[in-house]
Amino acid sequence: SAVISQKPSRDICQRGTSLTIQCQVDSQVTMMFWYRQQPGQSLTLIATANQGSEATYESGFVIDKFPISRPNLTFSTLTVSNMSPEDSSIYLCSVEDPGRGGYTFGSGTRLTVV
Amino acid sequence: GNSVTQMEGPVTLSEEAFLTINCTYTATGYPSLFWYVQYPGEGLQLLLKATKADDKGSNKGFEATYRKETTSFHLEKGSVQVSDSAVYFCALSLYNNNDMRFGAGTRLTVKP
């Protein structure tokens, strides 16, 4: 199955600033998914990123707040813009795992906004 | 819509106790069902899956059976260990693994 390298693993940021999270996959994948996991809660899909096209955002998430890049089939970034304490969460990227079924996840980025 | 309802936690058990974490689903089609595990400070890992009715997924001593008649996919383990302490998520997907939906997660703590 695919291996995902996600960074940074954690960060503490000042409100009003932006953070870019990177995910590198060791194989080419069509779609990459970005999730948010708020403290003590389940995962919520933010957006789906296809290479060569704009990301598709779920209800409640907008491109201005969470811009996504997908420059090639192995890499994607998610930026959390103009952060507030409510953005403190774990952010995870994932890809399909056709061999095993389900998704493979990165190790997550634990973001704290102060 | 498609959704998963998962037994709320936290669940605290003694080592070697029997574990059940309930999961039921609602879906418009025939979903694939999954259990994921999240160990402290880590991302999610696929624990087991089942893709059709009556399939049983199993891994690391954990089992879950896809029950279409009760729309359930309960996770079980006969004898838990301290190392099983984690958060467990039930999930479903339709349409070739797109649109994965997760339950709320159940935190399991196993005490020696």
Side-chain angles (χ1 to χ4, degrees):
Chain A
S1 58
V3 176
I4 302 176
S5 299
Q6 183 174 343
K7 59 181 182 182
S9 58
R10 60 178 62 228
D11 207 342
I12 301 173
C13 300
Q14 298 291 322
R15 68 177 66 202
T17 63
S18 298
L19 176 72
T20 296
I21 302 166
Q22 300 179 3
C23 273
Q24 178 76 51
V25 189
D26 69 346
S27 58
Q28 294 185 338
V29 293
T30 303
M31 287 186 287
M32 294 181 72
F33 306 92
W34 286 98
Y35 284 86
R36 181 175 73 183
Q37 185 181 16
Q38 293 178 299
Q41 298 189 26
S42 187
L43 282 74
T44 301
L45 181 64
I46 297 171
T48 302
N50 287 325
Q51 192 268 335
S53 62
E54 276 200 7
T56 302
Y57 288 83
E58 297 298 306
S59 176
F61 298 96
V62 296
I63 188 171
D64 289 347
K65 176 67 176 177
F66 297 100
I68 288 172
S69 77
R70 185 79 203 276
N72 57 53
L73 290 173
T74 63
F75 187 78
S76 179
T77 67
L78 169 76
T79 299
V80 186
S81 304
N82 188 24
M83 288 184 284
S84 66
E86 291 70 35
D87 295 319
S88 298
S89 294
I90 298 173
Y91 293 85
L92 298 121
C93 62
S94 69
V95 301
E96 290 183 70
D97 189 342
R100 299 174 64 209
Y103 287 4
T104 296
F105 284 83
S107 55
T109 298
R110 184 179 295 272
L111 170 63
T112 303
V113 183
V114 297
Chain B
N2 304 317
S3 65
V4 173
T5 301
Q6 187 175 341
M7 168 182 167
E8 293 201 15
V11 174
T12 302
L13 296 173
S14 297
E15 207 165 22
E16 299 184 1
F18 184 85
L19 168 70
T20 300
I21 301 177
N22 289 340
C23 172
T24 57
Y25 68 88
T26 302
T28 53
Y30 300 96
S32 295
L33 301 173
F34 306 87
W35 278 100
Y36 286 85
V37 59
Q38 185 177 33
Y39 297 104
E42 299 184 15
L44 275 72
Q45 302 174 26
L46 178 64
L47 181 60
L48 53 84
K49 68 178 176 72
T51 58
K52 61 182 187 298
D54 299 326
D55 268 3
K56 176 186 284 188
S58 61
N59 186 25
K60 299 181 180 180
F62 291 89
E63 293 183 341
T65 301
Y66 190 143
R67 301 286 189 198
K68 185 179 175 184
E69 64 276 14
T70 54
T71 62
S72 65
F73 193 56
H74 304 323
L75 182 68
E76 297 182 338
K77 186 174 185 181
S79 176
V80 293
Q81 305 300 312
V82 173
S83 57
D84 293 326
S85 297
V87 181
Y88 293 82
F89 293 92
C90 187
L92 68 80
S93 73
L94 288 163
Y95 313 125
N96 298 318
N97 285 339
N98 294 341
D99 197 20
M100 184 80 71
R101 302 284 174 166
F102 289 85
T106 301
R107 180 177 298 277
L108 170 67
T109 301
V110 180
K111 297 188 173 181

PDB file of all heavy atoms in Angstrom, chain B residues 60-73:
ATOM      1  N   LYS B  60      -5.352  -8.841  13.595  1.00  0.00           N
ATOM      2  CA  LYS B  60      -4.786  -8.632  14.940  1.00  0.00           C
ATOM      3  C   LYS B  60      -5.728  -9.113  16.034  1.00  0.00           C
ATOM      4  O   LYS B  60      -5.757  -8.535  17.128  1.00  0.00           O
ATOM      5  CB  LYS B  60      -4.456  -7.155  15.163  1.00  0.00           C
ATOM      6  CG  LYS B  60      -3.427  -6.590  14.204  1.00  0.00           C
ATOM      7  CD  LYS B  60      -3.137  -5.135  14.517  1.00  0.00           C
ATOM      8  CE  LYS B  60      -2.118  -4.575  13.552  1.00  0.00           C
ATOM      9  NZ  LYS B  60      -1.816  -3.148  13.835  1.00  0.00           N
ATOM     10  N   GLY B  61      -6.533 -10.134  15.771  1.00  0.00           N
ATOM     11  CA  GLY B  61      -7.453 -10.656  16.769  1.00  0.00           C
ATOM     12  C   GLY B  61      -8.800  -9.963  16.781  1.00  0.00           C
ATOM     13  O   GLY B  61      -9.718 -10.404  17.464  1.00  0.00           O
ATOM     14  N   PHE B  62      -8.940  -8.877  16.038  1.00  0.00           N
ATOM     15  CA  PHE B  62     -10.214  -8.173  15.907  1.00  0.00           C
ATOM     16  C   PHE B  62     -11.016  -8.783  14.763  1.00  0.00           C
ATOM     17  O   PHE B  62     -10.464  -9.214  13.760  1.00  0.00           O
ATOM     18  CB  PHE B  62      -9.985  -6.691  15.617  1.00  0.00           C
ATOM     19  CG  PHE B  62      -9.404  -5.906  16.750  1.00  0.00           C
ATOM     20  CD1 PHE B  62      -8.031  -5.804  16.900  1.00  0.00           C
ATOM     21  CD2 PHE B  62     -10.220  -5.272  17.671  1.00  0.00           C
ATOM     22  CE1 PHE B  62      -7.478  -5.088  17.937  1.00  0.00           C
ATOM     23  CE2 PHE B  62      -9.679  -4.539  18.718  1.00  0.00           C
ATOM     24  CZ  PHE B  62      -8.306  -4.449  18.854  1.00  0.00           C
ATOM     25  N   GLU B  63     -12.339  -8.775  14.943  1.00  0.00           N
ATOM     26  CA  GLU B  63     -13.241  -9.271  13.909  1.00  0.00           C
ATOM     27  C   GLU B  63     -14.459  -8.364  13.810  1.00  0.00           C
ATOM     28  O   GLU B  63     -14.873  -7.764  14.802  1.00  0.00           O
ATOM     29  CB  GLU B  63     -13.738 -10.682  14.236  1.00  0.00           C
ATOM     30  CG  GLU B  63     -12.685 -11.750  14.198  1.00  0.00           C
ATOM     31  CD  GLU B  63     -13.302 -13.120  14.459  1.00  0.00           C
ATOM     32  OE1 GLU B  63     -14.424 -13.181  15.012  1.00  0.00           O
ATOM     33  OE2 GLU B  63     -12.661 -14.119  14.124  1.00  0.00           O
ATOM     34  N   ALA B  64     -15.038  -8.317  12.607  1.00  0.00           N
ATOM     35  CA  ALA B  64     -16.320  -7.641  12.422  1.00  0.00           C
ATOM     36  C   ALA B  64     -17.014  -8.298  11.240  1.00  0.00           C
ATOM     37  O   ALA B  64     -16.371  -8.584  10.225  1.00  0.00           O
ATOM     38  CB  ALA B  64     -16.126  -6.154  12.167  1.00  0.00           C
ATOM     39  N   THR B  65     -18.324  -8.526  11.371  1.00  0.00           N
ATOM     40  CA  THR B  65     -19.098  -9.182  10.321  1.00  0.00           C
ATOM     41  C   THR B  65     -20.105  -8.205   9.746  1.00  0.00           C
ATOM     42  O   THR B  65     -20.845  -7.552  10.494  1.00  0.00           O
ATOM     43  CB  THR B  65     -19.817 -10.426  10.859  1.00  0.00           C
ATOM     44  OG1 THR B  65     -18.838 -11.333  11.378  1.00  0.00           O
ATOM     45  CG2 THR B  65     -20.592 -11.116   9.744  1.00  0.00           C
ATOM     46  N   TYR B  66     -20.142  -8.126   8.443  1.00  0.00           N
ATOM     47  CA  TYR B  66     -21.056  -7.244   7.699  1.00  0.00           C
ATOM     48  C   TYR B  66     -22.445  -7.869   7.754  1.00  0.00           C
ATOM     49  O   TYR B  66     -22.712  -8.883   7.108  1.00  0.00           O
ATOM     50  CB  TYR B  66     -20.554  -7.172   6.263  1.00  0.00           C
ATOM     51  CG  TYR B  66     -21.169  -6.155   5.343  1.00  0.00           C
ATOM     52  CD1 TYR B  66     -20.376  -5.508   4.416  1.00  0.00           C
ATOM     53  CD2 TYR B  66     -22.528  -5.874   5.343  1.00  0.00           C
ATOM     54  CE1 TYR B  66     -20.898  -4.594   3.509  1.00  0.00           C
ATOM     55  CE2 TYR B  66     -23.071  -4.968   4.453  1.00  0.00           C
ATOM     56  CZ  TYR B  66     -22.251  -4.333   3.525  1.00  0.00           C
ATOM     57  OH  TYR B  66     -22.786  -3.441   2.638  1.00  0.00           O
ATOM     58  N   ARG B  67     -23.338  -7.262   8.524  1.00  0.00           N
ATOM     59  CA  ARG B  67     -24.703  -7.777   8.681  1.00  0.00           C
ATOM     60  C   ARG B  67     -25.674  -6.854   7.972  1.00  0.00           C
ATOM     61  O   ARG B  67     -26.017  -5.782   8.478  1.00  0.00           O
ATOM     62  CB  ARG B  67     -25.073  -7.862  10.165  1.00  0.00           C
ATOM     63  CG  ARG B  67     -24.163  -8.734  10.997  1.00  0.00           C
ATOM     64  CD  ARG B  67     -24.402 -10.185  10.746  1.00  0.00           C
ATOM     65  NE  ARG B  67     -23.662 -11.011  11.712  1.00  0.00           N
ATOM     66  CZ  ARG B  67     -23.412 -12.297  11.514  1.00  0.00           C
ATOM     67  NH1 ARG B  67     -23.806 -12.901  10.398  1.00  0.00           N
ATOM     68  NH2 ARG B  67     -22.756 -12.983  12.435  1.00  0.00           N
ATOM     69  N   LYS B  68     -26.117  -7.281   6.812  1.00  0.00           N
ATOM     70  CA  LYS B  68     -27.017  -6.431   6.034  1.00  0.00           C
ATOM     71  C   LYS B  68     -28.384  -6.342   6.698  1.00  0.00           C
ATOM     72  O   LYS B  68     -29.031  -5.292   6.692  1.00  0.00           O
ATOM     73  CB  LYS B  68     -27.141  -6.991   4.614  1.00  0.00           C
ATOM     74  CG  LYS B  68     -27.956  -6.135   3.669  1.00  0.00           C
ATOM     75  CD  LYS B  68     -28.008  -6.768   2.286  1.00  0.00           C
ATOM     76  CE  LYS B  68     -28.927  -5.988   1.369  1.00  0.00           C
ATOM     77  NZ  LYS B  68     -29.050  -6.649   0.041  1.00  0.00           N
ATOM     78  N   GLU B  69     -28.851  -7.432   7.296  1.00  0.00           N
ATOM     79  CA  GLU B  69     -30.201  -7.445   7.857  1.00  0.00           C
ATOM     80  C   GLU B  69     -30.343  -6.502   9.035  1.00  0.00           C
ATOM     81  O   GLU B  69     -31.426  -5.971   9.287  1.00  0.00           O
ATOM     82  CB  GLU B  69     -30.590  -8.873   8.256  1.00  0.00           C
ATOM     83  CG  GLU B  69     -29.745  -9.496   9.356  1.00  0.00           C
ATOM     84  CD  GLU B  69     -28.464 -10.124   8.845  1.00  0.00           C
ATOM     85  OE1 GLU B  69     -28.071  -9.876   7.680  1.00  0.00           O
ATOM     86  OE2 GLU B  69     -27.820 -10.848   9.640  1.00  0.00           O
ATOM     87  N   THR B  70     -29.238  -6.274   9.757  1.00  0.00           N
ATOM     88  CA  THR B  70     -29.277  -5.349  10.896  1.00  0.00           C
ATOM     89  C   THR B  70     -28.472  -4.080  10.609  1.00  0.00           C
ATOM     90  O   THR B  70     -28.329  -3.235  11.496  1.00  0.00           O
ATOM     91  CB  THR B  70     -28.712  -6.020  12.157  1.00  0.00           C
ATOM     92  OG1 THR B  70     -27.400  -6.527  11.881  1.00  0.00           O
ATOM     93  CG2 THR B  70     -29.621  -7.153  12.616  1.00  0.00           C
ATOM     94  N   THR B  71     -27.988  -3.941   9.398  1.00  0.00           N
ATOM     95  CA  THR B  71     -27.123  -2.816   8.977  1.00  0.00           C
ATOM     96  C   THR B  71     -26.074  -2.515  10.040  1.00  0.00           C
ATOM     97  O   THR B  71     -25.938  -1.384  10.516  1.00  0.00           O
ATOM     98  CB  THR B  71     -27.935  -1.555   8.629  1.00  0.00           C
ATOM     99  OG1 THR B  71     -28.646  -1.094   9.799  1.00  0.00           O
ATOM    100  CG2 THR B  71     -28.902  -1.821   7.512  1.00  0.00           C
ATOM    101  N   SER B  72     -25.323  -3.557  10.389  1.00  0.00           N
ATOM    102  CA  SER B  72     -24.349  -3.401  11.471  1.00  0.00           C
ATOM    103  C   SER B  72     -23.002  -3.965  11.075  1.00  0.00           C
ATOM    104  O   SER B  72     -22.886  -4.791  10.148  1.00  0.00           O
ATOM    105  CB  SER B  72     -24.856  -4.095  12.739  1.00  0.00           C
ATOM    106  OG  SER B  72     -24.946  -5.493  12.524  1.00  0.00           O
ATOM    107  N   PHE B  73     -21.980  -3.515  11.800  1.00  0.00           N
ATOM    108  CA  PHE B  73     -20.606  -3.967  11.567  1.00  0.00           C
ATOM    109  C   PHE B  73     -19.862  -3.829  12.889  1.00  0.00           C
ATOM    110  O   PHE B  73     -18.923  -3.068  13.030  1.00  0.00           O
ATOM    111  CB  PHE B  73     -19.970  -3.128  10.455  1.00  0.00           C
ATOM    112  CG  PHE B  73     -18.684  -3.662   9.904  1.00  0.00           C
ATOM    113  CD1 PHE B  73     -18.594  -4.940   9.389  1.00  0.00           C
ATOM    114  CD2 PHE B  73     -17.541  -2.862   9.863  1.00  0.00           C
ATOM    115  CE1 PHE B  73     -17.412  -5.428   8.858  1.00  0.00           C
ATOM    116  CE2 PHE B  73     -16.350  -3.330   9.329  1.00  0.00           C
ATOM    117  CZ  PHE B  73     -16.290  -4.622   8.828  1.00  0.00           C
TER     118      PHE B  73
END
